[in-house]
Amino acid sequence: METLTQSAPAQAPAHHPNPEHILKIGMGFWASKTVLTAVNLKLFTLLARKPLTGEAIRQTLGLHPRAYLDFLDALVALGFLKREGIGAEGVYANAPDSDFFLDKNKPAYLGGVLEMSNNRLYRFWGDLETGLKTGLPQNEVKDPSVSGNIFDAVYANPEALQEFLQAMSGIQMGAFMALAGKFDFSGYATFCDVGGANGSLSIAVAMNNPSLHCTSFDLPAVEPIAQAHIAKRNLSSRVKTAAGDFFKQALPKSDVIAMGNILHDWGDQEKLTLMRKAYEALPKGGAFICVENIIDNDRSVNAFGLLMSLNMLIETKAGADFTFNDFDRLAHQAGFSRTEWMPLAGPTSAAIAFR
């Protein structure tokens, strides 16, 4: 009689420890500061005009001979630049994404948020541990001489305001363009972007939807900046501005109301207040669109959204990013009948509530 033997279970492949990921993330500030410095130097804007030799770049940007090639070649290795040849006479050019998003003269420029990261956020994030232990902001508001919130501090400084508005529109530009093309605006006549900064979302929506009349709503100090930005795109006849404080007054009546990177600035009670204001300003069938780095419901995939929420700890007194389930809960509390989720660009998506 044949004896049957049970084979041993297959062994799982042995794990070979590899420090690469740990070092890449743990020392990630090296790469980050290299890219932020390149943006601040306007390197990508320079190379958008034409490719240049390393030596020509050094002279134009006023760099010391010692390490400029390490700087440029690190950007090649990181995928931000391309190079033909090597050394001082090697010719450098922008990689495609750098050329599209980091040339200051292109409408898709998102370097504003990188400029702000270099000039403000980089040093504030050095105090993340303090923020985690205290629950308090670690930015300008940390200064005892500054009262109010970060928006009071930034909006009081015209130069800081310009940088902030450019940063806010820049970080969302890809998502704004995606929303303008993906959301079905055909059944609506009016659109209002609440907290519209320099009007970038209204501009994107208007350009993709010629029959739609748009309004960019923000604080009075922002209105002239938005008007100039809109006029530059020759859209003043279809994109208007309105000035006001969205906590102190009713929102403009519109068929569609959007908020881009607004809700995450506030705690749940303020989020709910703003969503109720949007609900009250919409007609039956109207849509409220929240453009944010919506965190996945399992809170384990959208790392950028989770890191952005940590940035809200650094920047605000109660703000936090949120999952789609969080948005759905608040939307129904505000009175909305149903919600949808729409992926946009990268880690950014739209959470949509219908009245």
Side-chain angles (χ1 to χ4, degrees):
M1 178 183 292
E2 184 181 357
T3 302
L4 297 176
T5 58
Q6 187 174 15
S7 59
Q11 295 293 316
H15 173 69
H16 299 289
N18 185 342
E20 180 180 2
H21 181 69
I22 293 172
L23 290 174
K24 181 179 178 181
I25 300 301
M27 307 301 291
F29 66 92
W30 288 5
S32 173
K33 189 61 175 173
T34 299
V35 173
L36 296 180
T37 299
V39 171
N40 239 34
L41 288 169
K42 300 180 179 62
L43 171 62
F44 304 108
T45 302
L46 173 67
L47 291 178
R49 299 175 196 160
K50 64 177 182 178
L52 294 171
T53 65
E55 177 60 20
I57 293 171
R58 185 191 75 77
Q59 292 185 21
T60 303
L61 299 183
L63 306 180
H64 190 277
R66 178 180 174 188
Y68 79 98
L69 287 176
D70 292 339
F71 173 62
L72 296 175
D73 290 340
L75 290 166
V76 172
L78 291 168
F80 284 79
L81 295 181
K82 301 183 295 182
R83 187 194 68 212
E84 291 186 5
I86 196 165
E89 297 309 310
V91 176
Y92 294 84
N94 286 335
D97 285 347
S98 300
D99 202 63
F100 189 80
F101 289 112
L102 296 179
D103 173 10
K104 204 159 190 173
N105 296 318
K106 290 188 173 68
Y109 180 69
L110 59 74
V113 71
L114 301 182
E115 292 174 31
M116 187 181 75
S117 295
N118 187 72
N119 299 334
R120 290 185 59 252
L121 294 181
Y122 190 84
R123 68 183 188 273
F124 297 145
W125 267 74
D127 294 325
L128 175 61
E129 184 176 342
T130 301
L132 289 169
K133 289 181 176 179
T134 64
L136 298 174
Q138 298 301 309
N139 56 12
E140 294 92 342
V141 179
K142 187 177 180 180
D143 184 338
S145 68
V146 177
S147 60
N149 58 42
I150 178 57
F151 305 107
D152 297 329
V154 170
Y155 278 53
N157 181 332
E159 190 173 303
L161 177 59
Q162 283 274 13
E163 183 179 81
F164 179 76
L165 295 180
Q166 187 176 38
M168 291 304 96
S169 62
I171 196 172
Q172 292 283 51
M173 186 57 66
F176 289 169
M177 293 165 66
L179 177 70
K182 291 180 72 171
F183 185 79
D184 184 6
F185 286 99
S186 62
Y188 303 107
T190 55
F191 170 86
C192 179
D193 180 21
V194 174
N198 64 6
S200 290
L201 177 53
S202 292
I203 289 169
V205 169
M207 289 178 70
N208 261 43
N209 302 273
S211 64
L212 206 60
H213 290 271
C214 303
T215 301
S216 186
F217 176 88
D218 212 316
L219 291 168
V222 177
E223 190 168 28
I225 298 171
Q227 287 173 343
H229 191 60
I230 293 163
K232 190 175 179 181
R233 299 292 187 273
N234 297 314
L235 284 167
S236 299
S237 62
R238 286 203 298 117
V239 180
K240 304 298 183 183
T241 60
D245 184 323
F246 50 50
F247 279 121
K248 295 179 179 177
Q249 63 194 79
L251 303 182
K253 297 284 186 182
S254 296
D255 297 332
V256 179
I257 290 176
M259 294 183 187
N261 271 8
I262 298 296
L263 292 185
H264 76 163
D265 292 332
W266 311 99
D268 269 11
Q269 193 54 52
E270 291 85 2
K271 286 181 173 73
L272 183 57
T273 295
L274 292 175
M275 292 173 77
R276 282 176 171 156
K277 282 177 168 283
Y279 179 86
E280 291 162 3
L282 290 167
K284 185 172 178 57
F288 169 59
I289 304 174
C290 167
V291 180
E292 301 259 5
N293 301 289
I294 307 294
I295 299 169
D296 57 289
N297 289 329
D298 284 340
R299 294 176 55 83
S300 61
V301 177
N302 190 352
F304 189 86
L306 291 161
L307 292 170
M308 179 63 83
S309 200
L310 285 177
N311 193 59
M312 292 303 100
L313 166 65
I314 297 291
E315 290 277 56
T316 69
K317 293 183 177 179
D321 283 69
F322 46 91
T323 66
F324 179 74
N325 282 349
D326 295 329
F327 175 85
D328 179 77
R329 170 178 54 82
L330 291 171
H332 282 94
Q333 287 181 38
F336 291 97
S337 61
R338 64 184 179 89
T339 60
E340 291 180 3
W341 176 78
M342 176 183 288
L344 294 175
T348 308
S349 57
I352 306 166
F354 295 90
R355 176 162 179 173

